[in-house]
């Protein structure tokens, strides 16, 4: 986490890789800070891969907090706007909607939430509870995201106002008007916008 706060996200990523090779799993707070730092550096694909890796290794115990979900969604939305290929723009927008849908469905973590470690022999590992979202499942999750704007977790608890605007704008540009309007019309969406 200290490397990421100091602007050395690539070194932090390297250390997380070394930990994985040796059988250790970083806590959720480490993955959240690493994802935020990678987003701040413009490394959207690496941030997405880190997010998926955390979901696989930590399972259902991994939740994004408001700062991380906002950074990841805003980065994915920016990537969908600057993408030269329309298919890549749709994929990035679908991923952003999927991240929002997961946060709306499963809730967001409070900053400082850590995951309890289950020891199995000489190494320390966390048991996954729910599988992470893969790239092929992104389209299915964006289809389920249509109803997520009406979920239990309001949009203003998941996203900062800037990230909420970026998500609504990106969804509208990618012809997902139903999601954009449902988020805009929701009570949490109106607060965030």
């Amino acid at each position: 986490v200290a490397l990421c706060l100091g602007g050395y996200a690539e070194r932090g990523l390297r250390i997380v890789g070394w930990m994985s090779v040796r059988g250790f799993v970083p806590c959720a707070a480490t993955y959240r800070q690493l994802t935020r730092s990678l987003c701040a550096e413009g490394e959207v694909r690496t941030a997405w891969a880190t997010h998926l890796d955390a979901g696989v290794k930590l399972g259902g115990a991994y939740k994004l907090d408001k700062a991380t979900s906002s950074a990841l969604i805003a980065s994915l939305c920016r990537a969908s706007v600057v993408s030269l290929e329309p298919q890549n723009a749709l994929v990035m927008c679908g991923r952003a909607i999927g991240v929002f849908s997961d946060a709306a469905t499963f809730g967001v973590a409070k900053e400082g939430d850590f995951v309890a470690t289950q020891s199995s022999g000489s190494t320390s590992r966390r048991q996954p509870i729910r599988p992470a979202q893969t790239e092929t499942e992104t389209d299915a999750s964006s289809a389920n995201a249509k109803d997520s704007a009406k979920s239990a977790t309001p949009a203003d608890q998941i996203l900062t106002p800037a990230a909420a605007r970026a998500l609504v704008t990106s969804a509208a540009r990618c012809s997902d008007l139903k999601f954009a309007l449902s988020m805009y019309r929701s009570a949490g969406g109106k607060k965030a916008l």
Side-chain angles (χ1 to χ4, degrees), residues 57-75:
K57 291 182 179 170
L58 299 177
Y62 177 66
K63 291 181 183 178
L64 296 176
D65 58 357
K66 184 175 181 176
T68 308
S69 63
S70 294
L72 186 57
I73 287 172
S75 294

Side-chain angles (χ1 to χ4, degrees), residues 18-30:
W18 290 340
M19 289 176 72
S20 295
V21 168
R22 289 167 178 75
F24 295 100
V25 178
C27 67
T30 301

Side-chain angles (χ1 to χ4, degrees), residues 23 77 102 115 125 163 171 175:
C77 291
D102 284 350
V115 179
R125 298 181 189 263
S175 300

Side-chain angles (χ1 to χ4, degrees), residues 144-167:
N144 294 334
K146 310 291 189 244
D147 299 324
S148 69
K150 301 174 187 173
S151 69
T153 308
D156 62 337
Q157 291 181 8
I158 300 170
L159 300 173
T160 61
R165 283 190 295 275
L167 182 59

Side-chain angles (χ1 to χ4, degrees), residues 27-104:
C27 67
T30 301
Y31 275 113
R32 287 193 295 260
Q33 183 60 49
L34 185 58
T35 301
R36 279 195 304 268
S37 297
L38 288 167
C39 289
E41 291 182 4
E43 298 289 336
V44 180
R45 291 183 192 270
T46 309
W48 177 252
T50 302
H51 170 67
L52 290 179
D53 187 45
V56 168
K57 291 182 179 170
L58 299 177
Y62 177 66
K63 291 181 183 178
L64 296 176
D65 58 357
K66 184 175 181 176
T68 308
S69 63
S70 294
L72 186 57
I73 287 172
S75 294
L76 289 167
C77 291
R78 270 193 305 275
S80 74
V81 170
V82 299
S83 178
L84 298 176
E85 297 179 25
Q87 188 61 30
N88 285 344
L90 292 174
V91 168
M92 294 296 178
C93 182
R95 288 176 180 174
I97 292 172
V99 169
F100 176 79
S101 173
D102 284 350

Side-chain angles (χ1 to χ4, degrees), residues 108-132:
V108 291
K110 294 181 177 125
E111 189 57 43
D113 280 353
F114 292 96
V115 179
T117 304
Q118 297 179 353
S119 180
S120 60
S122 61
T123 61
S124 172
R125 298 181 189 263
R126 291 173 179 82
Q127 302 299 321
I129 297 171
R130 71 175 170 87

